[in-house]
Amino acid sequence: MSRIVVVSNRVSSVATGTPAAGGLAVAVVDALQGDRGLWVGWNGEVRNTERACEVEESHCGAMSTLAWPLSSQSYAGFYRGFANEVVWPVFHGRTDRMRFRTEHFSAYLHVNQMFASHLAEHVQPDDVIWVHDYHFMHLASYCRDLGLNNQIGFFLHIPFPEPENLKAIPVHNSIVKALFKYDLIGFQTEKDQHALQSYIQTDRSEHTAFGQDPVAHQSPKMGVYPIGIDCNQTLSQVQNSQKSSLSEESVGQCGETKTIISVDRLDYTKGLLERLESYDQFLSSNSDWQGRVSLMQISPISRSDVLGYEEIRREVERLVARVNGTWGTPGWVPVNYMNRSFERAALLGLLRASHVGLVTSLCDGMNLVAKEYVMVQEASDPGVLVLSEFAGAANELDVGAILINPYDTVATAQAIHRALTMPLDERKERYSAMLDVLRQNDLLAWKNNFLYDLYACGAQVIHE
Ligand code: ADQ
C-alpha cells in the first residue's frame, strides 16, 4: 500500500513531544494523525560533521519519523543563510533584508541533495512524497537526478513573491527551474499562484535564459490549497484547557478588564511594532479604556541567530516598555508580554478567554492563530477578530473579521475600539460566518485536496 512521505525542515518537536510554536509543525502533526507514513527532516541538532549513520528513527502515532542532524556549515549556509536570510525575507516582500552569498546557496543545494539521498534510501516506488516549504525548493530536482519517479508535490506555507521581488534573488532562475521538477505546486492563496505564473510569463516573453529552456514549457500543475485547522481537535483541546484555571487567572484579572490577545513568533513579518504603536494610539485616544483593557502579547523567540531577529526583539521590548511606562498604573499593566511556548490546550484557552484577537501581519502565508482564535470562541459570547488584510487568512475570514491595514495605526486603533465595543448580536453574526468557513476549509480538506491532486496529476508522468 502506498505511503505518504512527508518532508519538512524540522521533525524534532513531534518526536520529543515539546510544544511547537510554528504553523507548519502544528499543522503537519495534526494533519497526519492516524496516517501510515514516513516523516523525514532535520532533528534540530547541529554537529561538527554530517554522517549518514546519524539518522534517528522513531514513531509518532502511525507515522514513522526519520531525522538527522545538520553540520554547522550546513546550518549556517542552508538554514540561517539562504533559507532565512534570502528566501524568507524576499518571499515576504522584504528584499531590503536579503543577504545573498553564493556559498550559502551552495549549502542550500547541498542540503537539498543530501535530503534527496536519504529519501532515495527510504522511499518505496509507490510512495507519494509531499515536500513542505521554502527550505526544499530544489529537492524534487535532486530526487529526479537520483532516478526517483515517485509523484512529488510541494506546498509553500509562505507567500510567493511578485516577479520584481523574486528577481532580486540572483539565483531566481534556478529556483523556478527546480520548482518545475515537482508534479504539483500548492499555494496558500490565488495571489501566490498568480505571482509564480506572472514570473513565468514575463520570463518567457523576455526570452531570457529561463524562457528559452525547454523545461520552462512543461509547467507543473499548480493549485491553491488554503491551510486550515482541525476544528474538532481544536475544540476538544480547548475543553481540556477549561479544566485548568490558567485562562481565568490570566485573562480578565478583574471582572471589568478586557483582554486583547496576539500570538506570533517574534518575527519582523508579523507587524509587532505596528501593533504596539496602534495599541499605544488606542490608549492615547480612548482614555476611558485606560485601566480596563490589556494586550496579552505572546511571542516565542524564533531564529534568534538569524540576521534581524535580535533587532526586532530589542525593538519590541523597547516599545512594550514605552507603552507600559507611559500608561501603566500601580494596579494595571497595559501590555502583558511573554516569550514562552505554551502547551496547545493552554494557549487555546487563552485565545478563548480573550475578547479581541489582534493579527497585524505585514505579510503572512495564512496565519493559523487567526483561525484558532475564531474556532475556540464561546458561541454565546464570541470575541472579535481584528485581522490584517495582508495575512492569507483574510481571503477567507473577511466574512466576519474587521480587516485592517496594519501600517495605518490610527485606523487599527479605531478597529480595536470597534471590536471592544461591538454589540453581542453583531459579534455572533460575524463569528458564525467565520465558523462556517473554518469548517468547510479545515485541515482535512487541505490535506485531502492536495493529495487528491497529487495522486491524480503524476500517475502517467515518467521523469527522464
Ligand atoms: P507561522 O509563521 O509560524 O507559520 P502561524 O500560521 O500563525 O505562523 O502558526 C503559528 C502556530 O504556532 C499556531 O498554531 C500557534 O498556535 C502556534 N504558536 C504560536 N505561538 C505559540 C506559543 N507561544 N506556544 C505554543 N504554540 C504557539 C507558517 C507561515 C504561516 C502559515 C503557517 C501554516 O508563516 O503564514 O499560516 O506556516 O502554513
Side-chain angles (χ1 to χ4, degrees):
M1 197 180 126
S2 116
R3 296 177 307 173
I4 305 170
V5 175
V6 169
V7 184
S8 70
N9 185 43
R10 288 288 296 270
V11 291
S12 65
S13 56
V14 187
T16 62
T18 48
L24 192 157
V26 172
V28 172
V29 176
D30 288 354
L32 297 171
Q33 302 258 337
D35 277 322
R36 197 181 78 88
L38 182 65
W39 185 351
V40 303
W42 176 35
N43 68 6
E45 287 173 25
V46 179
R47 301 260 173 89
N48 289 337
T49 52
E50 242 155 37
R51 290 199 306 261
C53 60
E54 290 183 306
V55 175
E56 296 160 5
E57 196 171 349
S58 56
H59 296 276
C60 168
M63 292 286 283
S64 307
T65 63
L66 283 181
W68 47 83
L70 288 181
S71 69
S72 42
Q73 212 180 352
S74 291
Y75 175 79
F78 154 78
Y79 179 76
R80 207 174 55 205
F82 192 72
N84 284 314
E85 290 181 1
V86 175
V87 184
W88 178 270
V90 172
F91 279 41
H92 285 88
R94 294 298 305 267
T95 48
D96 59 312
R97 286 191 178 259
M98 175 176 77
R99 297 289 176 274
F100 177 82
R101 290 173 61 173
T102 310
E103 62 271 30
H104 289 173
F105 181 54
S106 303
Y108 181 88
L109 296 181
H110 163 76
V111 171
N112 275 247
Q113 193 170 26
M114 173 183 73
F115 269 61
S117 311
H118 282 304
L119 278 178
E121 271 179 47
H122 292 99
V123 298
Q124 291 150 16
D126 59 348
D127 287 344
V128 161
I129 304 172
W130 187 3
V131 179
H132 290 262
D133 231 2
Y134 61 101
H135 311 87
F136 299 113
M137 293 186 288
H138 288 69
L139 186 56
S141 169
Y142 286 116
C143 287
R144 301 301 181 215
D145 290 350
L146 291 172
L148 289 186
N149 202 29
N150 304 61
Q151 287 152 53
I152 313 181
F154 176 78
F155 183 76
L156 183 66
H157 288 254
I158 64 173
F160 196 87
E162 294 300 332
E164 60 274 21
N165 283 344
L166 181 58
K167 286 179 179 182
I169 303 180
V171 292
H172 58 93
N173 276 347
S174 166
I175 290 174
V176 178
K177 268 191 193 176
L179 287 174
F180 270 45
K181 298 287 181 172
Y182 283 97
D183 295 301
L184 173 66
I185 305 175
F187 300 94
Q188 300 270 29
T189 68
E190 299 275 350
K191 185 170 174 283
D192 300 318
Q193 178 175 332
H194 186 255
L196 175 55
Q197 283 165 338
S198 59
Y199 172 95
I200 296 163
Q201 268 159 17
T202 319
D203 211 75
R204 277 180 188 153
S205 62
E206 286 172 1
H207 301 293
T208 60
F210 177 65
Q212 286 168 14
D213 191 312
V215 84
H217 297 280
Q218 308 157 8
S219 302
K221 185 171 162 52
M222 295 183 202
V224 175
Y225 310 89
I227 194 166
I229 56 172
D230 182 332
C231 299
N232 293 336
Q233 199 199 41
T234 306
L235 282 182
S236 82
Q237 283 169 330
V238 82
Q239 307 303 343
N240 289 338
S241 80
Q242 287 172 332
K243 295 187 187 120
S244 102
S245 57
L246 178 68
S247 39
E248 290 106 73
E249 271 170 24
S250 340
V251 174
Q253 301 94 336
C254 51
E256 286 305 293
T257 306
K258 291 203 170 182
T259 300
I260 302 166
I261 193 165
S262 291
V263 179
D264 22 38
R265 288 180 304 98
L266 200 43
D267 193 294
Y268 53 80
T269 62
K270 302 290 184 182
L272 285 121
L273 302 178
E274 290 72 9
R275 179 183 312 157
L276 287 161
E277 289 289 1
S278 301
Y279 182 60
D280 185 51
Q281 171 75 45
F282 166 75
L283 292 174
S284 153
S285 46
N286 296 279
S287 55
D288 54 325
W289 278 97
Q290 290 171 20
R292 295 204 296 129
V293 66
S294 88
L295 170 63
M296 181 177 289
Q297 176 62 62
I298 298 177
S299 293
I301 290 163
S302 170
R303 305 176 194 163
S304 48
D305 55 350
V306 173
L307 202 77
Y309 283 76
E310 251 318 294
E311 181 193 331
I312 182 80
R313 183 180 175 184
R314 275 199 305 276
E315 283 290 290
V316 168
E317 286 171 355
R318 191 183 58 77
L319 255 183
V320 169
R322 194 188 83 194
V323 175
N324 283 340
T326 306
W327 306 109
T329 62
W332 171 56
V333 182
V335 186
N336 184 358
Y337 176 58
M338 288 164 272
N339 291 134
R340 45 181 293 228
S341 273
F342 285 86
E343 288 299 332
R344 206 145 154 70
L347 186 73
L348 295 174
L350 293 173
L351 289 172
R352 183 185 184 98
S354 300
H355 306 87
V356 176
L358 180 57
V359 176
T360 56
S361 312
L362 305 177
C363 188
D364 211 335
M366 178 55 61
N367 197 286
L368 290 175
V369 175
K371 294 189 168 184
E372 290 163 353
Y373 177 76
V374 174
M375 193 65 227
V376 298
Q377 291 309 299
E378 194 86 61
S380 58
D381 186 18
V384 180
L385 177 66
V386 176
L387 175 61
S388 165
E389 62 183 279
F390 306 125
N395 287 302
E396 297 161 86
L397 298 182
D398 56 348
V399 292
I402 302 182
L403 292 192
I404 47 140
N405 172 349
Y407 295 101
D408 189 343
T409 53
V410 172
T412 304
Q414 287 164 352
I416 292 172
H417 185 266
R418 190 173 161 210
L420 285 168
T421 55
M422 188 178 283
L424 180 61
D425 282 352
E426 185 179 349
R427 282 191 275 131
K428 280 183 173 171
E429 212 171 291
R430 286 170 175 268
Y431 157 77
S432 140
M434 291 190 283
L435 199 65
D436 288 347
V437 176
L438 292 184
R439 288 215 174 270
Q440 207 176 339
N441 300 348
D442 68 357
L443 191 66
L444 198 64
W446 170 70
K447 182 184 88 170
N448 287 346
N449 291 340
F450 185 90
L451 288 177
Y452 180 86
D453 285 353
L454 182 55
Y455 278 108
C457 71
Q460 56 299 54
V461 176
I462 303 294
H463 296 279
E464 298 297 324

